[in-house]
Every structure is written in C-alpha cells, then in structure tokens.
Amino acid sequence: MVLRERKPKQNPAALLPILVFLILYLGMGLIFEYRLEVEMAFYNIPIVVVFMVALLVACMQNRALKFDDKLTIMAQGVGDKNIMTMILIFLVAGVFVGVTGRSSAEAVAYFLLSVTPAWTSVAVLFVAACFVSTAMGTSVGTISLITPIAVAVSNVSGFSMALCIGSVMGGAMFGDNLSFISDTTIAACNTQGCEMRDKFRANFKIALPAAALTLVVILVQSISAGVGQIDIPEYNLLLLIPYVLVLIGGVAGLNVFVVLLVGIVAGVTIVLSTGTVDFMSLLGSMGSGASGMFETIMVTVLVSCMCALIREFGGFEALLAFIRQVFKGRVGGRLGVGLLVGAMDIATANNTVAIVMAGPIAKEISEEYGISPKESASLLDTFSCVFQGVIPYGAQMLIAVSTAGGAVSAFQIMPCLYYPYLLAAACVVYILVGAGKRR
C-alpha cells in the first residue's frame, strides 16, 4: 500500500488511543500510588503493555482500512530515519553510562567539595549534579548517585536535607535537559529533525540564566548557615576524563556516535587500567546499560506505530484545528508546544515518553506556526524537564526520597526545587520576549 499524498480530514475520534493510554496509565498510577500506597507505583505499571492496549484501540478504528494496510502505515512510522537513529543512540548511550558508572559520578562531587569552602557545599552539590547529569545524560541516575552524598553533607553540615536534595534534583534536571546523550535530547532532536548541537545552543540560552539564578539563591541561603567540617573520601580524578571528552565532543558538534564511542573507549581504558572494575564486571555493566534502554526503545516503537495511525486517520489535523483556535500567533504556537508536552508529562510521569508522544504533534504545530526545528526541540525538552522536575510522583522525586531513606518527604523537597521553577520562568520570558526572532 502507498499512502495518499493528502491531508486527512479532521477526526477527533482518532485521538482516542491517546486518551485510552492516559486514562489507564495515569488512573492506575494514582490509585496504586495514593490509594493502595504501592511504592513506586507509576514505575511498576508495565507502560509497554498499556501502550500495546492503546495501539490495539488505534488498530480497531477506521474499519474501512484493511489490517494489512494498517501494518504498512505502522511500518512506515517506525521505519523513519529519525526513529532508527534515536533507537541506536539510546543503545550506545546506555553502554556509555554502564562503563562510567558510580565511581566517576562520585569523583566529580568529591573533587568539587574538596576544593571549595564548606559553607558552599549545597551550591557544590547543585553544580556537581549539573555536570554529572550533563555528562551521563540521566537525571534519575544522577540523583541515585549524588543523593547519598547530599544526605551525608546535610547530616554533618547542618544544612536542611530538603535543600540539599532539592539542589541535587535541580542539577539533575539541568543535565537531563542539555546533555547530548540524554534520552530526552535524543527524542526531542530526532522527532523535530534538528542537530543536537543546534538544539543545545538554543536550549542553553534558556537553561543558563535559570541555573545561574538558582546558584545565587542557594548561595544566599548558605551564607548565614553554621556549617560543620565535611570529610571527603578518596577519589580518582582520572575517572572524570570520559565525561569531559563527551562534553567537549558534543559542544564541538562532532557526530553523537563518534562522541559516545570515544567516551566508551576512554572509560573502558581508564576503569580497567586503574583496577576500578574487572573485565567481566565491566562487560556486565555495559550490557546492563544497554538493556536499561530497552523499555524506552519499545515505547518509541509503539508510539511511532500509534502516531502513524492517528495521523492517517485525521487525529493530528483535529488537534491542530483546536490549537489554532486556542493559541494565536508566534507566542501562542510556542506556548502550545510547551503545554502539550507538559500535559503529556503530567499524565505519564516520564519526560522521555512525553516527548516521544508529543513530538509528532509538535512537529505539525511547528510547521504551522513557523517554529524552527531547533527551537521546537528546545521547547519540548525544556518544558518536559520543568514538569518532570516538580511532580511528586515522578521517578526523580521517588528515587530521591527512597535514597534518603525516607528522612524527608516529597512535599518538603518541593519548595526547594529552585531550578525547575526558575527554568519555567525563563521559558515564559523566552517565549514572550524572543518568540519569532531569527536564530
């Protein structure tokens, strides 16, 4: 079957699969998490199975089209070059994270703590989390690695634990938003069809002011605090090299595969030569890193299939018609992209899934409102990180509270999430002041 080169008629009913997914996933998550008090409920729900149900609903629509033709439409959606590139980058990025591991992240934090005054410890935690998450490309991984250090800093220094952990979470979202190997960056760039370097430059103009203001707020709060001495364990600065190479290569605009392969080779060489891990353990870590991306890859495949059917059945046209009525002009189009991915994130509690779901629709909005690919990718990634960084049932918050041993609650941490709040403000200022300027 060859798809007709035409715009399908508006059909709001074609959006039903998305509604089915949101009701099932969000509904079960809220019931299990807050009614039945199941720990990490949102991340125990098999999201792949829920997406399969939603895809089944999409396949049952439009009875006039044969099932074989629907399979052809789904195959064309999955076979898109950007989707295949995204899947391969996910796998290689997973291997890199598996190679670098816990010791490298801890080395960053301990090095910064050792060369700065004790009263700046919370600010150092924020900066360390920014660096580690940008290099590793994972906010959840950064939080799980740096939060134990934040707890230790709070216990010996007198700083509020909520402030310490909130600073780590803010730094983790900074890197999740900007990293060249973050799954959110990969998804945003590939769904919008832009280079990572271009998205980084557009994104940096929003994220840097928010990070700088966050640092000022934290330092102002820290000045009057009575801080005890912090003991620094031994660390190996050589473990920072793979991170630095990845950051330099990404900023320089090298191909992301080349950057990641250089980081992997450097990481393997260093951890084996320093005896950090043995060869068999390293192989296991590399495999675990790659397999940790499998669920994200399957979600990408299923969402691509579902969105291909929704587009063919006229769902995107109906959604665009609604957006045209509600959002007007350059500012409205950009705000529409941000709120779209924000709504998806609130419903899924996963910013990567939110971007993958919203990406194809955002691409249509961008073409309609004259938004450049790098700008739409930046808005998708940034708004998703804003919402993901503050929702109390997101993986980032749940991991932080769990790692702290329950010594602090999500609602105690939320007032200290300065970076996500300031990032949201920076987004609004960017849209109001900078919308439509040539970039």
Side-chain angles (χ1 to χ4, degrees):
M1 172 188 173
V2 178
L3 294 182
R4 298 179 297 276
E5 292 295 331
R6 60 164 177 78
K7 284 190 175 182
K9 295 181 179 179
Q10 296 177 22
N11 180 17
L15 297 169
L16 180 62
I18 296 177
L19 182 62
V20 169
F21 169 80
L22 297 179
I23 291 174
L24 287 177
Y25 189 76
L26 181 61
M28 288 193 296
L30 292 174
I31 291 171
F32 291 157
E33 184 80 38
Y34 297 106
R35 182 73 176 178
L36 303 179
E37 298 184 351
V38 176
E39 186 177 357
M40 297 287 287
F42 275 91
Y43 292 85
N44 286 323
I45 296 173
I47 191 170
V48 171
V49 175
V50 181
F51 267 119
M52 288 177 66
V53 173
L55 180 59
L56 177 62
V57 172
C59 289
M60 293 173 64
Q61 292 182 301
N62 195 351
R63 298 293 183 85
L65 201 62
K66 294 180 180 179
F67 183 67
D68 282 348
D69 292 337
K70 293 174 182 177
L71 287 175
T72 301
I73 294 170
M74 289 188 282
Q76 290 174 348
V78 176
D80 183 85
K81 174 189 172 184
N82 289 324
I83 298 299
M84 297 309 299
T85 302
M86 183 165 32
I87 289 172
L88 290 174
I89 294 174
F90 281 151
L91 288 172
V92 182
V95 173
F96 173 76
V97 172
V99 168
T100 53
R102 177 179 295 273
S103 299
S104 299
E106 291 176 344
V108 173
Y110 289 137
F111 168 69
L112 292 175
L113 286 170
S114 68
V115 297
T116 53
W119 69 272
T120 64
S121 297
V122 180
V124 168
L125 288 172
F126 173 72
V127 173
C130 287
F131 181 87
V132 171
S133 59
T134 303
M136 289 181 64
T138 165
S139 56
V140 172
T142 299
I143 290 168
S144 65
L145 295 174
I146 307 298
T147 296
I149 301 173
V151 172
V153 167
S154 174
N155 289 336
V156 302
S157 68
F159 282 117
S160 158
M161 189 171 295
L163 176 62
C164 291
I165 294 176
S167 299
V168 170
M169 288 184 62
M173 298 315 299
F174 173 88
D176 199 346
N177 184 202
L178 287 177
S179 174
F180 286 87
I181 61 172
S182 166
D183 45 6
T184 59
T185 295
I186 296 166
C189 290
N190 282 277
T191 57
Q192 303 309 296
C194 76
E195 295 291 332
M196 292 188 183
R197 176 178 59 181
D198 295 334
K199 180 262 183 188
F200 176 85
R201 290 172 177 171
N203 211 158
F204 198 66
K205 296 175 183 178
I206 304 174
L208 182 61
L213 285 173
T214 300
L215 199 57
V216 170
V217 171
I218 293 173
L219 287 172
V220 168
Q221 279 196 294
S222 303
I223 289 174
S224 59
V227 181
Q229 187 61 37
I230 301 173
D231 295 326
I232 308 297
E234 292 185 3
Y235 56 89
N236 188 347
L237 279 180
L238 289 176
L239 297 174
L240 304 184
I241 293 177
Y243 289 166
V244 174
L245 291 176
V246 167
L247 288 175
I248 292 174
V251 173
L254 297 179
N255 182 281
V256 65
F257 289 109
V258 174
V259 171
L260 286 170
L261 288 174
V262 168
I264 289 170
V265 171
V268 168
T269 302
I270 291 170
V271 297
L272 290 179
S273 62
T274 58
T276 304
V277 296
D278 58 53
F279 184 70
M280 293 306 298
S281 297
L282 178 61
L283 287 179
S285 297
M286 293 170 73
S288 298
S291 62
M293 293 290 186
F294 287 176
E295 183 176 75
T296 301
I297 291 171
M298 287 308 304
V299 166
T300 300
V301 170
L302 292 172
V303 170
S304 300
C305 292
M306 187 174 72
C307 286
L309 291 175
I310 292 172
R311 180 185 289 110
E312 178 68 13
F313 298 164
F316 285 3
E317 282 299 311
L319 188 57
L320 281 172
F322 171 76
I323 289 172
R324 291 187 196 104
Q325 292 179 346
V326 177
F327 299 100
K328 306 294 184 181
R330 296 190 299 256
V331 170
R334 286 155 178 79
L335 189 61
V337 170
L339 295 180
L340 172 68
V341 74
M344 294 292 187
D345 188 80
I346 290 172
T348 63
N350 186 309
N351 48 345
T352 304
V353 174
I355 291 172
V356 171
M357 290 182 67
I361 306 171
K363 181 70 171 174
E364 303 271 356
I365 297 173
S366 299
E367 292 174 355
E368 177 78 17
Y369 286 85
I371 305 172
S372 66
K374 63 181 179 182
E375 190 178 4
S376 60
S378 174
L379 291 171
L380 274 176
D381 200 349
T382 305
F383 270 90
S384 74
C385 287
V386 166
F387 284 89
Q388 186 68 23
V390 298
I391 55 175
Y393 52 89
Q396 288 77 3
M397 182 68 78
L398 297 175
I399 289 292
V401 173
S402 174
T403 306
V408 63
S409 72
F411 295 101
Q412 289 174 304
I413 295 173
M414 287 177 70
C416 300
L417 296 172
Y418 302 130
Y419 177 72
Y421 299 138
L422 289 170
L423 183 63
C427 285
V428 173
V429 171
Y430 169 82
I431 290 174
L432 294 176
V433 176
K437 290 184 178 179
R438 295 189 65 181
R439 304 183 191 289

